Amino acid sequence: MISIKNLQKIFKSGTTQVQAVDDVNLNIEKGEIYGVIGYSGAGKSTFIRLLNRLEDPTSGEIVIDGEDIASLKAGRLRKARQEIGMVFQHFNLLWSRTVRENIAFPLEIAGTPKKERQERVDELIKLVGLAGREDAYPSQLSGGQKQRVGIARALANRPKVLLCDEATSALDPETTDQILDLLVDINEKLDLTIILITHEMHVIRKISHRVAVMEEGKVVEEGDVLDVFLHPKEKVTKRFVEQIMGDQDQDEAVETILAQYQTGQVVRLHFVGEKTNQALISEVSREFPSVSFNILQGKITQTSKGAYGTLYVHMDGTEEDINKAIEYISETSVQVEVNHHVS
C-alpha cells in the first residue's frame, strides 16, 4: 500500500543544514494501523507532512497505492491529496462554521454536488458519534467532540490513507481512549490504512499493529508492537516501553523488597498472549514442592496484538532445585530472566 524509500528532508537556513528526516525506509500494508513514535525533535511530524506533500522531500520516494506522490506536479498532487486524510493535534476547525459545515468543507472544495455532499456528511456524523450536534459550533464542543469533527472532515473524500499527527495529545486520558476506539472502529469498518504520529506509548500500545521508533530523523527500530514491547533494542525504545510497563519503578521496588531475603534468586517472567492468564506459579509449585515461590510484583498490559506481562518472583531452595524450576518454566514458552542472586 505505502512504500517509502530513502526519504530525506533537509531544512536550510543560511549556511546551516538540519536533516529532519534521514534516509527513512518503510513499508505499510493496506488496512494497517501503523504507529510512528518519537520524542520532540525526532522528525516524526516532518515525516508525516512529507507523506501528503505539505512538505516537499529533499530526496526519496513515497509510493502510495502505486503512485509516487513525491514526484507529482501541482494538478495531480491536488487530486492525490484528496485520497490522504489528515487529523491534527489542535483540530484546525473553522470556528465560524457548524459541525455539518466543517465536515462538508473539503467536499465543497472538491466540487461534490450538494445532495451528495449532504448525504456524505450525514453518514460521517453518524460514523463518528456526533448525531444531535450537527448545528453546533466548535466553541460549543468538548475537545473530544472537536476531534471527532476533525476525523469526519478528514474522511469526507473517502481517503485511502488517514494521517493522524498527535491526534490525541490535546485530550485527557479518558477522551484519548474514546478517540482511539473510534479510530479502531473506522479502521475495521472502512479497511482504512491509518498512520499515527505520537510521543505517547499508550497510543501505540492500544491500537497500532506495527510501530517505527524515530530518533534524530532516523527510524532506529521497527516491528510488530508486541515484539517491540518484548524485545526493545534501542535505548529510546526502552524508555518508551517503560512508560507503560514501569520497569524502572519495578526494579527499585524489587530492590527494596529484596532486603528481607537472605537466600534464593529473583527472576523476572515475561508472559505473552494466552500465557498471561494461566496459573503458572501454582503449577510450578506442585511440580517442585521443595522450592518456595513469593510473588513480589507484576503487571499485565494489553496491546493490539495480545497481552504482555511481567512478574517478579523470589524463588528459595537449593540451587539445583531452583535451576530445575527455571528450566521447567522456560519450556512453557514463558521467558525467564534471572535478575538477582540473593545468596
Side-chain angles (χ1 to χ4, degrees):
M1 173 62 179
I2 302 175
S3 176
I4 298 161
K5 296 180 180 178
N6 307 121
L7 186 62
Q8 297 196 63
K9 178 63 181 180
I10 299 172
F11 291 102
K12 296 180 181 179
S13 178
T15 58
T16 304
Q17 289 193 161
V18 176
Q19 188 139 12
V21 175
D22 187 359
D23 196 30
V24 169
N25 292 272
L26 292 173
N27 287 296
I28 300 169
E29 300 298 327
K30 185 180 186 313
E32 187 171 30
I33 301 179
Y34 193 95
V36 179
I37 191 168
Y39 289 107
S40 179
K44 58 189 187 298
S45 289
T46 301
F47 168 72
I48 203 169
R49 289 170 64 85
L50 291 171
L51 295 186
N52 64 358
R53 287 285 300 278
L54 289 176
E55 294 283 355
D56 291 329
T58 303
S59 61
E61 296 181 0
I62 306 167
V63 179
I64 300 178
D65 204 20
E67 187 169 43
D68 182 10
I69 70 161
S71 62
L72 294 181
K73 303 302 180 185
R76 177 59 195 137
L77 179 59
R78 280 194 296 272
K79 291 186 177 181
R81 278 185 176 146
Q82 292 179 4
E83 299 178 340
I84 305 172
M86 184 84 169
V87 181
F88 301 91
Q89 177 180 0
H90 296 296
F91 320 128
N92 289 10
L93 302 182
L94 299 170
W95 294 89
S96 62
R97 284 179 170 243
T98 64
V99 167
R100 179 180 293 279
E101 291 167 342
N102 264 282
I103 297 171
F105 186 60
L107 295 168
E108 293 173 20
I109 294 174
T112 305
K114 186 175 181 180
K115 184 175 184 298
E116 183 181 338
R117 195 163 67 226
Q118 290 175 338
E119 291 174 353
R120 180 60 177 158
V121 170
D122 287 340
E123 286 177 16
L124 291 167
I125 286 172
K126 183 178 180 181
L127 177 66
V128 301
L130 286 172
R133 304 296 286 160
E134 299 93 329
D135 299 320
Y137 288 89
S139 61
Q140 299 171 308
L141 302 176
S142 67
Q145 289 171 332
K146 290 172 189 173
Q147 196 57 287
R148 288 173 187 268
V149 177
I151 291 170
R153 181 184 58 187
L155 297 174
N157 282 310
R158 305 180 191 276
K160 298 175 181 177
V161 180
L162 182 65
L163 307 179
C164 300
D165 188 5
E166 300 279 10
T168 61
S169 294
L171 306 176
D172 61 74
E174 183 177 354
T175 306
T176 291
D177 283 345
Q178 292 170 359
I179 293 299
L180 294 177
D181 288 340
L182 174 61
L183 290 174
V184 171
D185 186 52
I186 289 168
N187 167 256
E188 293 174 350
K189 286 180 177 176
L190 306 181
D191 194 28
L192 183 67
T193 305
I194 298 177
I195 301 177
L196 293 169
I197 299 295
T198 184
H199 66 276
E200 300 172 301
M201 197 61 178
H202 167 72
V203 173
I204 299 297
R205 171 192 66 82
K206 187 171 175 66
I207 70 170
S208 296
H209 303 142
R210 287 193 296 145
V211 60
V213 182
M214 289 192 72
E215 187 176 32
E216 296 182 350
K218 294 179 178 290
V219 172
V220 296
E221 193 160 349
E222 194 248 0
D224 287 347
V225 168
L226 194 54
D227 289 340
V228 170
F229 263 82
L230 282 170
H231 308 292
K233 297 179 179 65
E234 301 295 326
K235 184 181 294 185
V236 64
T237 312
K238 292 175 182 178
R239 286 172 63 194
F240 279 121
V241 172
E242 284 174 4
Q243 288 182 8
I244 301 298
M245 297 308 296
D247 287 345
Q248 184 175 352
D249 291 340
Q250 282 188 336
D251 286 344
E252 291 173 357
V254 168
E255 290 287 355
T256 301
I257 294 170
L258 275 175
Q260 63 185 289
Y261 295 108
Q262 302 300 316
T263 60
Q265 292 184 12
V266 172
V267 298
R268 180 163 60 175
L269 309 180
H270 296 273
F271 298 81
V272 183
E274 295 178 359
K275 292 295 180 185
T276 57
N277 299 318
Q278 293 183 6
L280 178 65
I281 300 302
S282 297
E283 180 184 328
V284 180
S285 296
R286 289 193 297 269
E287 290 290 331
F288 299 92
S290 60
V291 179
S292 63
F293 297 85
N294 295 299
I295 296 174
L296 305 182
Q297 194 171 110
K299 186 172 183 179
I300 294 175
T301 190
Q302 295 289 331
T303 76
S304 61
K305 290 295 187 74
Y308 162 54
T310 60
L311 187 67
Y312 284 85
V313 179
H314 174 253
M315 305 170 67
D316 204 1
T318 67
E319 184 175 353
E320 181 181 0
D321 289 342
I322 290 174
N323 289 337
K324 286 180 180 178
I326 290 174
E327 184 179 353
Y328 179 87
I329 294 171
S330 300
E331 290 174 353
T332 67
S333 81
V334 172
Q335 297 180 22
V336 183
E337 178 184 344
V338 178
N339 276 51
H340 307 274
H341 293 266
V342 182
S343 54

